[in-house]
Amino acid sequence: MLLFKCLKILGVFRLLLLQLLWLSSINAKKDNPEISSHQFDGAPSNFFYFDDSNTVLLESRETGRVYRSEDAGKTWDKVDVGDEKALDLWAHPYDKNQAFIMGRGSTHWHTTDQGKTWKDFEIPKARPLLFRPPLAFHAKDADKVMVHGEICKVGGLLDCQETTFYTLDGFKTVKKMRENTRGCIFAQGTPEFQTSEDDKNGNRVICVSQGRVSFDRSKHRLVVSDDFFVHEREPYLEAGRTVQGIINIAGVKGYVVTAARALNTDELALYVTGDANTWHRAVFPHDSRLKEDAYTILESTKYSIQVDVMNVEPPNPMGILFTSNSNGTYFTKNIPHTNRNRAGNVDFEKVQNIQGIVLVNVVDNWQEVESSFGTRKKDIKSQITFDEGRSFQDLTVDKKPLHLHSVTDISNVGRVFSSPSPGLVMGVGNTGKYLKNYEEGDLYVSDDAGLTWTLAIEEAHKYEFGDQGSILVAVYDEGPTDKIEYSLDHGKKWHKVDLPEKGVNAKALLTTPDSTAMKFLLLGTTGGGSKTKHWAFTIDFEDMHERKCKDSDFEDWYALSNEDGEPGCVMGHQQFFRRRKADADCFIREKFEDPKPEFKKCKCTEKDFECDYNYKKSEDGKKCIWDTKAGPLPDPKGKCKGEEGKYSGPSGFRLIPGNECEGGIDLEKEVERPCKDTVKTPVSGEVNVEKTAFRAKGFREYHYLERTGTSDGDDETIVMRTDKSEIYITKDHGKTWEHILKDEEITRIYPHAHFNDVVYFLTAGKTVHFSINRGDTFDKFTAEAEPTRDRNLAPLSFHPDYKNWLIWTGAKDCEKGAKGKCHNRAYYSTDRGSHWNDLFFWVRKCEFIKEEGRGKDENSDHLVYCEQYEHEKPDGRLQLWRSDNWFANKKQEFPDIVDFATMSEFIIVASYDQENKNTLKVGASVDGKNFADALFPSNFQVQVQTAYTVLDSHTHAVFMHVTVGNNKGAEYGSIIKSNSNGTSYVLSLNGVNRNTPGYVDFEKMLGLEGVALVNVVANIEDAERGLGKKLRTMITHNDGAEWAPLRAPQIDPEGHEYPCNVGNLEKCSLHLHGYTERRDPRDVFSSPSAVGLMMGVGNVGDFLTEKGSDTSDTFITIDGGVSWQAVKKGNYMWEYGDQGSIIVIVRDTVATDEIFYSLNEGSTWIPFKFSKTKVHVAILSTVPSDNSRNFLLWGQEEGSDSEVVTFNLDFTQLKERQKQCKLDTNNPEAEDSDYKLWEPKHPLQVGNCLFGHVAQYLRKLTDADCFNGQNIQKKYNIRENCSCTREDFECDYNYEPGNDRSCQLVSGLAPPDHSKVCKDDPSRMSYYLPTGYRRIPLDTCQGGRELEKFESKEKPCPGKEPEYERAHRGLSGFWIFVLAVLLPAGVAGGIGYWVWQHWDGKFGRIQLSDGGRSFDTDGAWVRWPVAVVSAVVAVVAAVPLLAGSLWRWASGLFGGRSRRYTTRSSFARGRGDYAVVDDDELLGEDEDEEA
């Protein structure tokens, strides 16, 4: 019994002991971290921790689902927002409890409790943007958020309007803020930014917006509002002016920066503000300019901005690192040759939480990379700075150079090297001379912020920091692994732990943002292909045995200490941290408590000062000198009374704002300066003249390389070639010239058609010289063949977006004795001629097809057209081929063509009709890949000898001249105009004059909607019998819908009345000499910068007389051609300067020593003698934009036959043009404004409505004594939209205008099927049957006679009949009677009375004095005298462009070889396409070309 009790007691004891041991095992501390796993259905695409928590959100875009974990990834729950609806996941950057799920439609979700609960919110009718961040946050009020969305019509991407919404209450309510935005930010979008005092509620918003009246990105502008765009304003960015061409905006610490792109260049201007009120342009060294897609704003500080500017382009780009002063306006070079990649990422990273330490990678063999245009492999080295970039040194391991993979080759999420853990830095790389491939790297660690490094683990690993640096974790990153490794002593010793899954490919390793937690999250995959599994592993160190650290386990660690342990200073203080000792056997275990730095002040040194505003560093960097662009030095105390004496003034230095240094040196102390520096040099008040003589008999060509918009610099560069093939360049508009390329015989000059900084100089051989910086430096390449021998073709074709992409057309097998083999071969280069590749053989020409607004698919950049001779024989048919992969694959578009023309919006092809070889066909395309036949009237056939001249296509329609009479010396034709897709044409005007080479007397007025001038042959039958042409000038004010003679002035230049009755327009009107008679095609009537002004030479009478006759006078209009006044007797050349505030004229064809100029739009003219001897002036020129106050006369002095001369005329010294005109674009007609708003008027129409609206233009007051300065966008606003009238519509497809201008169905054709709109837009309930009319594209009329609906029957969409019936119930019989009977009767009666009062039997007819012969006297053209207006004219209209090259000018002083084929496109003014282009826009008159 006793034994039994003892055994029983022993059993109980054993049981208690086992229980105690089991409980002890549960609570025991572990030697290694615990690792758990979770599998997901799809690949994680976005994930983040909420700050100061273990809560993680993870999105799988693959499945459209979002998951949440509260325990750092151990367990996961799916967020209930509906299956597969999540498109994107965003954390609120300034509220650690908020996050957002953006849905795929208009519904989205928001959490304020780290994802425990979610509430949906709606963005009405909008979907989130995919191409920019959908959310913009307020840094100081988390409930203020903006949403960027787009509202699309017709259920697709073809018609979408970008719109920004906002909430002030955390999405309880959402309101529309503004349409047509291109990105918005809160001014207080970063914690460091402080807005100006007038932003009282902190609601200031800054947006990039489309232009007032244009969708073109060159017109994008910056707008600011303090009340969410109830009111808005444009800030002045430069010289008291707003700036267009804004491309983006961003908040950077204590700054907001925006960038603007100048037209016809890739150069950018950067503007900076520190209060969202006052802006300054950032100034970079003269040899370093910002370029689009070529700069990166890097992680910056509170007191400076870091920018890396690309200086070597892809495929191996490099950059230069710049740092700004404290207000972000002046940038100095820190380190050249930084490594960057194509995406714009730069190998640059600051060590987190420590001021002054930055790691960068630089390219050591930069010279070889530069000279090879980036094709040479880069040798990359790593460097580090401890003094904010003032000096750099190598990273070292045991005195060996260390190189680390950085941002351009990032392999993990978050920062590359560092974390908030004080001084702990890790990276993957190698020792040796240069950086090797990532797979050849090892993991290195530093615990002194990068000063010294040690090898941590061999082979590449992902890594992360935890517990303020007391835990380091790494995972193998070169393939599958079964383990992770960790270190508890700053990377000296490492321990391995098995993962619960085998063969894990690590994708991301992360922890909480502050690196204070003891849990880590590893995302990875196992398997492959269809068997791939996606995992999340949680690595938990919290239960390890290490104790909690006490005070003795910490030490003071000074940042910026050198190898001797001496602490350095940044911003006037030393920085140090309390951090755990590396060998302390403990964990800090203070979760979510960020390490806090402490500071000690230093004595002031030179590095604590910067240049004050308007001062800049001297060349040696030791002084701050005054920027003379800001005017004379200020005398703040008013001690100077003139140039004599000295005064005490600012030193030019200032202590960097925020710098805490004390004592030491004081560079702010005032210095003694001479009083003469405070006095502005007085102006002469006269026109200054500089003459230059050249040993030559003539000039062959000249080209302006104009700076546009915000382009940085004030040079006015011209390159010129004499008849001796000598090349000269001037940077100051002809005041001084330099002979360049002296040992080369240059045969042609080709400025880049799309980039004004680039120009090419061709020789007779394969060598081509070029400059990419406006002639500052020159380089050359060797082509694969000599230039094409066809002098009518341009050897070079340029890409509109990529300035280094070239197509070269060269002559092959053209040596003597190679008869019949000579042909053109095309080559292409993507590195500006360094390397060439074959493109296509036996071609006539090849062109890049990409244009803005044309060709939007991913391969459109590579789209090329080539004309090739069939069977590679010179007598073969000319075929049109296209390719979007450099002709690795190709497609034939047309088997037998005459030519093709690339216009701004269309591609037009003239081809032989395969069914009737005696006729031509026209094909039109808007994307370069899909063509439609142009539809001419059914009884209209174009004969082979007929030519097409494409005149203009800037108004969503094509103007084309079709030659009807082709007798030499009696050529004429008809202008036809297309519908909005270029496929259906109607007559605009008959009998329009053309010359033998194919040029047409047709010219659009630049800058004004719908105005054009032509000369018509009034005696067609007599002219065809050889009796000579009689020309009359006609004008249209509604884009070709109606034409009328020019109303002549009553008084001639000498004050006498003209002998004919100017009231009888048939017998007495104004006639002007047109395009066919010009020596220089750039001498157009008008200028887009001088809106409303035109000048011309002609006469008053019944017909145009000979140009040199006694009846010729010079005329001007200032109201868009409505009224004219005579200026001077005789023929004068003219140019507009300073956007029309200066007009200069000089005698033409007569030797003179005098010019006249006007400062008030031609009201008065001032004579000025420019030469002591008479000069035969051949050309009067200025910059293509007409925005300069300098002009240039080109000519030959009387009696000289061995010299030619130029005269620079400088008007900048005129007293009347000393101050800049005042313009407030938010209130242009303010009391102190120098501008007015002008509305053009149609002379034959009541009111000012054109194209459905009243347009307003900015014009300088004629009596304002000031200069315009930077180019102003003249079209200011659409004041109002008008009620719709007949002029707002064009005939629908298969309809044509009748005699009464009504649209009638073409016999035998069916009306279009309008029910297709129901398929395009499923939300539509109904559609209208065709009426014969459709609205003109871009017409903005509202209400009135909406002819596309007028008298039309509304029909329900298929399947929507019940909804349609419900929506149309309830109209009583009385109202049906009123609406259906009485109202139409009343309207008809009113219209009938008006017609009875105004009918003259000629309704809709244009009367020609001698009648007019059409294409077919019995054809439909006789019945179609008026064209339907089919588009709104662009602000910048088309201008004539001389084909091929300016070396083919007519004859004489600027003589050269003439040709038959002509180009009509935009020339010098407007778009600035004054470079040479191909002869591609006269289509027809086929002949055998010279090979």
Side-chain angles (χ1 to χ4, degrees), residues 1311-1324:
D1313 182 7
H1314 282 194
S1315 67
K1316 291 181 179 179
V1317 299
C1318 299
K1319 296 179 181 178
D1320 296 332
D1321 184 3
S1323 65
R1324 286 187 70 112

Side-chain angles (χ1 to χ4, degrees), residues 706-1012:
E706 186 183 6
R707 292 198 180 277
T708 59
T710 56
S711 178
D712 185 23
D714 55 7
D715 63 285
E716 295 183 354
T717 300
I718 312 171
V719 289
M720 174 266 288
R721 181 171 66 94
T722 70
D723 62 349
K724 292 184 176 181
S725 294
E726 294 178 336
I727 307 299
Y728 292 86
I729 188 171
T730 175
K731 293 283 188 174
D732 51 15
H733 211 137
K735 294 175 183 175
T736 58
W737 292 88
E738 179 187 358
H739 188 187
I740 58 173
L741 302 174
K742 294 181 179 180
D743 298 327
E744 300 291 338
E745 184 177 353
I746 304 300
T747 59
R748 280 177 272 185
I749 304 175
Y750 280 89
H752 199 295
H754 308 284
F755 293 89
N756 291 1
D757 298 334
V758 184
V759 60
Y760 292 85
F761 303 86
L762 273 62
T763 65
K766 298 180 181 180
T767 301
V768 177
H769 301 267
F770 64 88
S771 173
I772 63 170
N773 49 21
R774 317 171 60 75
D776 288 344
T777 60
F778 293 87
D779 207 334
K780 62 182 177 181
F781 65 75
T782 302
E784 294 293 298
E786 294 179 359
T788 173
R789 297 194 175 185
D790 188 340
R791 302 287 290 179
N792 299 320
L793 295 177
L796 279 169
S797 176
F798 304 103
H799 196 284
D801 294 336
Y802 303 104
K803 69 180 180 184
N804 292 336
W805 289 19
L806 304 173
I807 294 176
W808 175 265
T809 303
K812 293 293 290 184
D813 300 329
C814 297
E815 300 82 6
K816 290 183 179 180
K819 188 175 182 180
K821 296 182 180 180
C822 182
H823 67 280
N824 288 336
R825 181 178 295 186
Y827 307 86
Y828 75 92
S829 172
T830 58
D831 54 14
R832 208 184 305 130
S834 290
H835 301 86
W836 291 97
N837 302 281
D838 286 332
L839 184 66
F840 215 32
F841 307 133
W842 282 86
V843 302
R844 181 175 177 269
K845 68 176 182 180
C846 293
E847 284 187 12
F848 292 109
I849 300 301
K850 173 71 183 295
E851 287 280 0
E852 186 168 347
R854 184 174 72 220
K856 297 179 183 294
D857 63 78
E858 60 183 6
N859 294 322
S860 65
D861 285 342
H862 293 78
L863 188 59
V864 174
Y865 275 20
C866 284
E867 296 175 349
Q868 186 192 45
Y869 291 101
E870 188 177 29
H871 305 309
E872 299 188 357
K873 294 183 178 179
D875 57 353
R877 297 186 302 176
L878 197 59
Q879 301 176 326
L880 184 63
W881 297 84
R882 71 169 168 89
S883 173
D884 55 17
N885 58 4
W886 307 118
F887 282 85
N889 305 102
K890 61 183 184 294
K891 180 180 184 297
Q892 187 184 100
E893 289 292 349
F894 294 89
D896 194 2
I897 73 167
V898 178
D899 208 343
F900 74 91
T902 54
M903 308 296 291
S904 63
E905 296 170 321
F906 301 92
I907 301 164
I908 306 297
V909 179
S911 64
Y912 293 104
D913 191 328
Q914 297 304 296
E915 297 179 359
N916 183 357
K917 294 289 186 178
N918 291 323
T919 64
L920 292 178
K921 294 176 62 177
V922 172
S925 174
V926 295
D927 64 0
K929 296 188 177 182
N930 298 286
F931 279 87
D933 289 337
L935 302 178
F936 293 154
S938 57
N939 62 343
F940 170 55
Q941 293 184 337
V942 183
Q943 300 301 314
V944 170
Q945 66 269 20
T946 301
Y948 302 143
T949 303
V950 182
L951 302 173
D952 177 68
S953 76
H954 283 79
T955 62
H956 295 294
V958 177
F959 276 90
M960 187 182 297
H961 182 275
V962 182
T963 298
V964 177
N966 204 32
N967 293 339
K968 188 171 183 179
E971 299 90 348
Y972 72 94
S974 294
I975 291 178
I976 58 177
K977 183 184 178 184
S978 79
N979 61 353
S980 57
N981 61 13
T983 59
S984 178
Y985 289 80
V986 292
L987 178 65
S988 180
L989 188 63
N990 275 325
V992 179
N993 184 49
R994 202 209 88 173
N995 63 8
T996 301
Y999 297 115
V1000 179
D1001 278 342
F1002 169 93
E1003 187 171 315
K1004 285 284 190 79
M1005 184 177 186
L1006 304 180
L1008 200 60
E1009 291 180 332
V1011 180

Side-chain angles (χ1 to χ4, degrees), residues 1427-1439:
V1428 178
V1429 182
S1430 68
V1432 175
V1433 178
V1435 173
V1436 181
V1439 191

Side-chain angles (χ1 to χ4, degrees), residues 1405-1419:
R1405 195 170 88 203
I1406 298 177
Q1407 180 67 42
L1408 298 179
S1409 60
D1410 291 322
R1413 183 171 146 188
S1414 188
F1415 296 106
D1416 184 345
T1417 55
D1418 299 321

